[in-house]
Amino acid sequence: MRLATFVHQGQRRVGIVSPDGQTVTPLALDAAVAQRGVLPIIEGAAQGQPLPAAAGAALPLADVTLEAPLPLPRRNLWCVGRNYHEHAKELQGSVFKNNNSNPAVWPIVFTKVPECVVADRADVLLPGDDISPQIDYEAELAVVIGTGGKNIAKADAMKHIYGYTIVNDVTARDVQMRHQQWDMGKSFDTFCPMGPWIVTADELDGQHTRVRCWVNDQPRQDGRTEDLIFDIPTLIETISRGITLYPGDVIATGTPAGVGLGMTPPTFLKTGDVVRIEIDGIGTLQNRFV
């Protein structure tokens, strides 16, 4: 099942996207509840509530405007750095030079503020060279927690997943490396495109899928989640150590090699660039940088 948040006739709705991706069927949610996107559906499922009934006929997807499936996550998104082997190598002399040289010791975990989330096809705002001229893309599979918990064992972790979506972990590289922690360079306004929808875990196994990225139709990134340094169960176990995870929490699992900073010479995003991310089993997330 694919759950989308969208706007139709000026009203935010939540619905089920058809298998062919051509229509979306609205669900019966109060307008105030639908402001939170798919989150109330996830929270209800965690409490054993059934999916809301359909509310009207299916709408052509071309007649609605998709929003991020979680337009305002309940709290910061959890993100993982240096989680593909080749990406660890390409940035070992820059972003990762002050980190433990053994990438498999512990995951690098940081966060992005929820307010930086934007939708598929939304513009991403370049901050201007006086703030940062080094804006980079990072294509990532994101896990959406369904059943919350604390100190979740790796063996049980997959049972806590509601579904998956796509995130572009947009980064101001100079700001990221300027600070001891990465949140500042990761959390500029609009720096977290998310979408196009959430695919439930019964339809997709995020441990076996492909993550690709193009900039202006030029291939840049291509990796498989089998190549993660820390797999999804390990990430959930680690992040939940002493910290309660809640339904709707998002964990971005890291990006493959091929980011702009890793190119020779480094190649950062400029006005008019279009970044397209595709993850098998989910779909496409595309955004223009302006």
Side-chain angles (χ1 to χ4, degrees):
M1 182 170 58
R2 291 184 280 184
L3 288 163
T5 302
F6 62 94
V7 173
H8 182 247
Q9 296 180 344
Q11 182 178 352
R12 179 176 285 172
R13 310 287 298 274
V14 176
I16 300 174
V17 179
S18 61
D20 63 5
Q22 297 302 304
T23 64
V24 57
T25 301
L27 297 175
L29 286 179
D30 290 340
V33 175
Q35 291 303 306
R36 303 170 67 210
V38 181
L39 182 57
I41 304 293
I42 299 170
E43 292 175 332
Q47 297 170 4
Q49 298 174 8
L51 190 72
L59 303 168
L61 210 63
D63 292 347
V64 308
T65 301
L66 286 176
E67 296 198 322
L70 299 169
L72 186 64
R74 63 181 301 153
R75 61 179 180 179
N76 284 27
L77 292 80
W78 300 100
C79 303
V80 181
R82 197 175 63 169
N83 204 28
Y84 285 79
H85 290 283
E86 291 305 311
H87 180 57
K89 293 176 183 176
E90 73 174 347
L91 298 189
Q92 63 186 350
S94 54
V95 172
F96 305 136
K97 67 180 179 180
N98 293 323
N99 298 118
N100 191 310
S101 60
N102 179 4
V105 176
W106 286 100
I108 298 170
V109 180
F110 59 94
T111 68
K112 294 174 82 81
V113 298
E115 291 81 5
C116 68
V117 170
V118 294
D120 175 45
R121 308 289 168 163
D123 288 341
V124 178
L125 305 178
L126 295 169
D129 288 356
D130 56 332
I131 294 176
S132 173
Q134 298 184 5
I135 307 305
D136 210 348
Y137 53 87
E138 293 193 359
E140 308 205 10
L141 173 72
V143 172
V144 181
I145 296 296
T147 304
K150 179 178 177 179
N151 300 326
I152 299 168
K154 181 176 178 179
D156 299 325
M158 297 300 289
K159 294 183 291 186
H160 288 259
I161 297 174
Y162 183 83
Y164 303 90
T165 190
I166 305 172
V167 159
N168 187 348
D169 177 20
V170 183
T171 306
R173 291 298 186 191
D174 48 350
V175 178
Q176 176 189 20
M177 291 184 284
R178 178 186 305 156
H179 298 278
Q180 292 295 313
Q181 295 183 348
W182 294 356
D183 299 41
M184 292 289 292
K186 298 282 191 172
S187 293
F188 287 14
D189 293 349
T190 73
F191 269 27
C192 190
M194 176 194 291
W197 39 62
I198 293 172
V199 176
T200 53
D202 59 348
E203 187 172 320
L204 174 67
D205 180 359
Q207 298 184 101
H208 303 284
T209 191
R210 186 181 184 187
V211 179
R212 289 176 291 171
C213 176
W214 293 259
V215 177
N216 302 327
D217 293 325
Q218 179 186 76
R220 293 286 182 89
Q221 295 180 280
D222 189 348
R224 297 198 59 86
T225 54
E226 290 92 339
D227 299 328
L228 291 173
I229 297 171
F230 300 97
D231 63 14
I232 291 170
T234 300
L235 296 179
I236 293 173
E237 180 182 65
T238 301
I239 294 170
S240 71
R241 287 167 62 96
I243 297 173
T244 301
L245 295 180
Y246 294 96
D249 275 349
V250 177
I251 301 173
T253 58
T255 198
V259 298
L261 181 59
M263 299 176 69
T264 305
T267 304
F268 298 110
L269 296 169
K270 60 186 184 301
T271 300
D273 283 347
V274 175
V275 177
R276 184 175 85 253
I277 300 169
E278 292 185 11
I279 297 184
D280 292 356
I282 301 179
T284 302
L285 174 70
Q286 180 170 298
N287 300 89
R288 183 179 297 275
F289 285 68
V290 300

